[in-house]
Amino acid sequence: MKKYWIAAMAGFLLFSGTASAQAELKVPAAYIAIGDSLAAGQTPEREIDAGYTDMIAQELSRNQPVGFYSKNLAFPGFTTADVLDSIQSDEAKEMLASANLITVSAGANDLLRLVQGDPAQGSLTFQQIQADFALNEARKNMELILAELTELSPNADVYVMGYYFAYPHVRDSQKSGTAKQLDRLNEILERSAEKAGATFVSVDQSFGDDAVDKVPNAADVHPNAAGYQAMANAFFGEYQKTWTVEDFELPPPNPLTFEQIMEAQEQEGDGGQEEEESEAEETALRPSAGSPTGYLALREALPYL
């Protein structure tokens, strides 16, 4: 498992294309993905696999030199408050200082944890007052996150990822209320990005309200590979319009359960003596290759983004 993750990361870092001649590209790219489980690559089966951030890193490596890629700061279940806390750690500050490209997925968990869904009945319910409060908190925290990134990553171009409608399986009569709240969230994220000089990436048009082909599990809000591909391509629509993640370029499925990830991390923690013996070799690895999962930590799996 360790070999897979190191090999996968090395594959993302290989320069396999020609660099774009456009002046706005920063070469080599040092890409950090932060946020919730969409940034982490959680699947509809609540496993971790290649998500939109991995696809972005892979496509970057096909078109320009990539010096660094990490999704160590992406955690399932994170709210905007959690993301703000995570980027203020010493480890995060050191990593973000070298970044010149950052994507942020944060905000949906502030809202979706308030939505009660019944897959059998195809229904959704939430309290409007609670939703209003959650969205206001998301706005304040996102502004703080982007202000913090301006300080921590002064050379980075920051892209704030929008959200799709996560409940395509419910009855049509049940969609409009929750969809309206997600539209409000996207508006907040877009305004916050503009205020901070960041770029907002809209993904909802790629999904619409009926994207059962991209969100296949009626009991889970996470996308499949096609959904993550759509998100990655929405990013490239803002970053480099001629770059696209094609179907034949999708990484082969290789999901890990949360139990496998935690077990691998525990085994990694027990290998201190072996790591000391190979210290010279380890210095050649990127920080994201330091654990078999590419994470600094993983919290308990949550049924949100």
Side-chain angles (χ1 to χ4, degrees):
M1 188 179 298
K2 178 178 179 181
K3 291 182 179 179
Y4 161 73
W5 281 95
I6 293 177
M9 194 61 65
F12 289 138
L13 296 176
L14 287 175
F15 172 42
S16 58
T18 56
S20 171
Q22 298 192 31
E24 64 266 28
L25 293 182
K26 296 179 179 179
V27 178
Y31 172 34
I32 306 293
I34 69 175
D36 53 31
S37 60
L38 294 185
Q42 187 165 331
T43 74
E45 292 74 36
R46 298 185 183 178
E47 299 171 321
I48 296 293
D49 204 345
Y52 81 84
T53 60
D54 303 297
M55 295 179 190
I56 288 173
Q58 182 173 272
E59 187 66 20
L60 288 173
S61 72
R62 291 191 177 104
N63 293 278
Q64 68 176 98
V66 176
F68 180 73
Y69 160 60
S70 174
K71 59 178 183 179
N72 285 5
L73 299 178
F75 298 81
F78 260 21
T79 64
T80 52
D82 295 322
V83 172
L84 180 59
D85 287 342
S86 73
I87 65 174
Q88 293 173 333
S89 70
D90 290 339
E91 292 170 306
K93 288 179 180 179
E94 182 179 357
M95 186 184 304
L96 289 167
S98 63
N100 58 28
L101 174 61
I102 297 173
T103 55
V104 184
S105 283
N109 286 326
D110 299 63
L111 177 65
L112 296 189
R113 62 179 57 213
L114 305 176
V115 177
Q116 303 298 317
D118 185 343
Q121 298 296 322
S123 63
L124 298 171
T125 58
F126 64 92
Q127 297 296 320
Q128 187 63 59
I129 293 178
Q130 292 178 331
D132 292 342
F133 178 81
L135 289 170
N136 189 49
E137 288 298 300
R139 176 189 60 78
K140 291 188 291 186
N141 287 331
M142 180 55 69
E143 290 180 357
L144 291 172
I145 289 168
L146 296 176
E148 193 80 8
L149 291 177
T150 299
E151 292 286 332
L152 297 174
S153 307
N155 298 318
D157 294 328
V158 179
Y159 291 78
V160 177
M161 303 296 294
Y163 287 94
Y164 54 87
F165 181 69
Y167 304 97
H169 298 269
V170 303
R171 300 195 306 271
D172 288 343
S173 61
Q174 294 285 301
K175 292 180 178 179
S176 61
T178 305
K180 185 179 296 184
Q181 306 311 310
L182 285 165
D183 287 343
R184 292 177 62 199
L185 173 60
N186 282 326
E187 291 171 1
I188 288 170
L189 296 176
E190 184 171 12
R191 288 198 300 269
S192 297
E194 290 176 353
K195 182 178 178 180
T199 301
F200 176 72
V201 178
S202 176
V203 305
D204 55 346
Q205 291 184 350
S206 301
F207 284 76
D209 293 342
D210 302 298
V212 295
D213 59 327
K214 297 181 178 68
V215 187
N217 187 348
D220 190 275
V221 297
H222 295 88
N224 56 17
Y228 281 124
Q229 178 188 18
M231 294 182 69
N233 284 334
F235 164 82
F236 283 113
E238 299 292 339
Y239 184 75
Q240 286 289 298
K241 294 183 184 298
T242 60
W243 298 2
T244 304
V245 180
E246 303 292 348
D247 291 347
F248 68 88
E249 296 174 329
L250 293 178
N254 196 356
L256 293 174
T257 66
F258 289 97
E259 291 76 13
Q260 289 173 319
I261 291 171
M262 298 304 293
E263 180 181 356
Q265 288 183 328
E266 290 175 0
Q267 292 176 351
E268 189 74 9
D270 293 337
Q273 182 176 356
E274 180 181 346
E275 290 179 2
E276 289 179 2
E277 294 174 353
S278 59
E279 182 178 355
E281 179 182 354
E282 291 292 332
T283 58
L285 298 177
R286 299 295 180 184
S288 54
S291 75
T293 63
Y295 292 94
L296 296 175
L298 267 177
R299 305 197 327 168
E300 179 182 359
L302 299 175
Y304 309 113
L305 292 177

